C-alpha cells in the first residue's frame, strides 16, 4: 500500500542552524501539507501546498519557514534559523484532492534544537 | 477559525469493553470529520471519517456518529483489544478552507487492559 515517507526520522541541530526536512508524498496525490506536534500537544497545521505554491499557511509559518517541491517526488520544509521552540515532531501529509480532505500522514521527523 | 475540543484526555478500559471519545467543533459549516489513530513513534493514521450529509458510519468495530445540530461527533470502538491502545485525534476543516487544512482536537490516550 502506498505511503508517505519522511527523512530523517530524527534531526538534532544547534539553535540558529538551518534544517531541511524531506518528504515523499504518495505518488498520485496533488495536495501536500506540513503539520507539527510539540511533545504532548495536539497536531498543528503549518502549511498546505498545491500546484507548486503555498495555498494556505498558519500564523506559526513565519518567514523562517519555507516549502518547496524541487522535483516530481520530494516535498521539503526548510527552517532557516532554528529556535529552541521549533523542537517538535514534523509530519508531512498528502491528499489526492482537497475536497475529499482524506489526508495520509508520514511517520514524522523529530526535530531537536539544542 | 475552527475550534475542536476533545474529551476525555485519557480513557482506560478493559479488553472487550466499548470506548467512546467525543469531540465538539465550533464552525457550523464544517463538513468533514476524520478520526486519526497515532501509535507511539508513528504518524497519525486515518481510521474512519464522516461527512456532514450522514449521521453515522461504521467500519467493523469502529463507528463514528455526527450530530450537526449540537456540533459534535463521536468515535465508538466496540470489543476493544489491546492493540487499540493508542492516541486518538479528531479533526475538522474550517469552513472556507479550500485546500484541506485540518484543525485537530487535543487527543485521547486510550489504554485497553488485557
Amino acid at each position: 500500500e502506498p505511503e508517505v515517507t519522511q527523512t530523517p526520522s530524527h534531526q538534532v541541530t544547534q539553535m540558529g542552524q538551518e534544517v531541511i526536512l524531506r518528504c515523499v508524498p504518495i505518488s498520485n496525490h496533488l495536495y501536500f501539507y506540513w503539520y507539527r506536534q510539540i511533545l504532548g500537544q495536539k497536531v498543528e497545521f503549518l502549511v498546505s501546498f498545491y500546484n507548486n505554491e503555498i495555498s494556505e499557511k498558519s500564523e506559526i509559518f513565519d518567514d523562517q519557514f519555507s516549502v518547496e517541491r524541487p522535483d516530481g517526488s520530494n516535498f521539503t520544509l526548510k527552517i532557516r534559523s532554528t529556535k529552541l521552540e521549533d523542537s517538535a515532531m514534523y509530519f508531512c501529509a498528502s491528499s489526492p484532492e482537497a475536497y475529499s480532505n482524506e489526508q495520509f500522514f508520514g511517520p514524522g521527523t523529530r526535530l531537536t534544537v539544542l | 477559525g475552527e475550534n475542536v475540543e476533545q474529551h476525555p484526555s485519557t480513557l482506560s478500559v478493559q479488553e472487550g469493553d466499548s470506548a467512546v471519545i467525543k469531540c465538539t467543533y465550533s464552525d457550523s459549516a464544517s463538513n468533514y470529520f476524520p478520526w486519526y489513530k497515532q501509535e507511539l513513534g508513528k504518524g497519525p493514521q486515518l481510521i474512519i471519517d464522516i461527512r456532514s450529509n450522514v449521521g453515522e458510519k461504521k467500519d467493523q468495530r469502529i463507528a463514528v456518529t455526527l450530530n450537526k445540530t449540537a456540533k459534535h461527533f463521536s468515535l465508538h470502538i466496540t470489543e476493544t483489544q489491546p492493540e487499540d491502545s493508542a492516541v486518538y485525534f479528531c479533526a475538522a476543516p474550517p469552513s472556507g478552507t479550500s485546500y484541506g487544512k485540518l484543525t485537530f482536537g487535543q487527543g485521547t490516550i486510550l489504554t485497553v487492559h488485557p
Side-chain angles (χ1 to χ4, degrees), chain A residues 31 33 35 37 40-45 48 50 55-56 58 89 91 98-108, chain B residues 3-4 31-32 34 36 38 41-46 49 51 89 93 96-107:
Chain A
Y31 297 84
Y33 311 88
Y35 291 82
Q37 185 179 33
Q41 297 186 22
K42 67 169 76 175
V43 177
E44 300 175 289
F45 170 81
S48 58
Y50 170 69
S55 47
E56 192 170 5
S58 72
M89 282 290 286
F91 294 106
Y99 298 102
S100 73
N101 295 113
E102 295 173 3
Q103 296 181 24
F104 298 85
F105 282 73
Chain B
N3 185 38
V4 178
N31 58 8
Y32 173 73
Y36 285 85
Q38 187 178 25
K42 297 184 179 180
Q45 178 188 11
L46 179 69
D49 55 18
R51 301 187 188 280
F89 291 96
T97 296
S98 301
Y99 296 97
K101 167 187 175 181
L102 290 175
T103 299
F104 282 80
Q106 297 92 327

Side-chain angles (χ1 to χ4, degrees), chain A residues 2 10 20 40 49 54 61 68 72 82 87 94 104 111:
Chain A
H10 191 190
I20 298 176
F49 190 87
I54 290 173
F61 195 89
E68 192 178 35
T82 51
S87 295
S94 69
F104 298 85
L111 177 63

Side-chain angles (χ1 to χ4, degrees), chain A:
Chain A
E1 185 173 329
E3 58 184 19
V4 176
T5 59
Q6 290 184 244
T7 55
S9 57
H10 191 190
Q11 174 87 49
V12 181
T13 190
Q14 295 291 323
M15 190 170 57
Q17 295 296 305
E18 175 183 287
V19 295
I20 298 176
L21 310 183
R22 303 180 191 280
C23 168
V24 179
I26 295 173
S27 62
N28 62 343
H29 286 189
L30 300 176
Y31 297 84
F32 313 111
Y33 311 88
W34 284 100
Y35 291 82
R36 81 172 185 188
Q37 185 179 33
I38 295 172
L39 187 64
Q41 297 186 22
K42 67 169 76 175
V43 177
E44 300 175 289
F45 170 81
L46 290 177
V47 66
S48 58
F49 190 87
Y50 170 69
N51 200 27
N52 281 322
E53 61 182 22
I54 290 173
S55 47
E56 192 170 5
K57 60 183 181 179
S58 72
E59 58 274 13
I60 302 169
F61 195 89
D62 60 23
D63 291 344
Q64 68 164 336
F65 291 92
S66 63
V67 289
E68 192 178 35
R69 189 155 163 82
D71 53 43
S73 59
N74 290 285
F75 179 51
T76 62
L77 174 69
K78 180 190 289 186
I79 309 175
R80 261 180 275 283
S81 179
T82 51
K83 298 179 277 195
L84 295 176
E85 54 265 37
D86 294 328
S87 295
M89 282 290 286
Y90 288 81
F91 294 106
C92 173
S94 69
S95 180
E97 49 182 285
Y99 298 102
S100 73
N101 295 113
E102 295 173 3
Q103 296 181 24
F104 298 85
F105 282 73
T109 292
R110 177 170 297 285
L111 177 63
T112 301
V113 182
L114 303 176

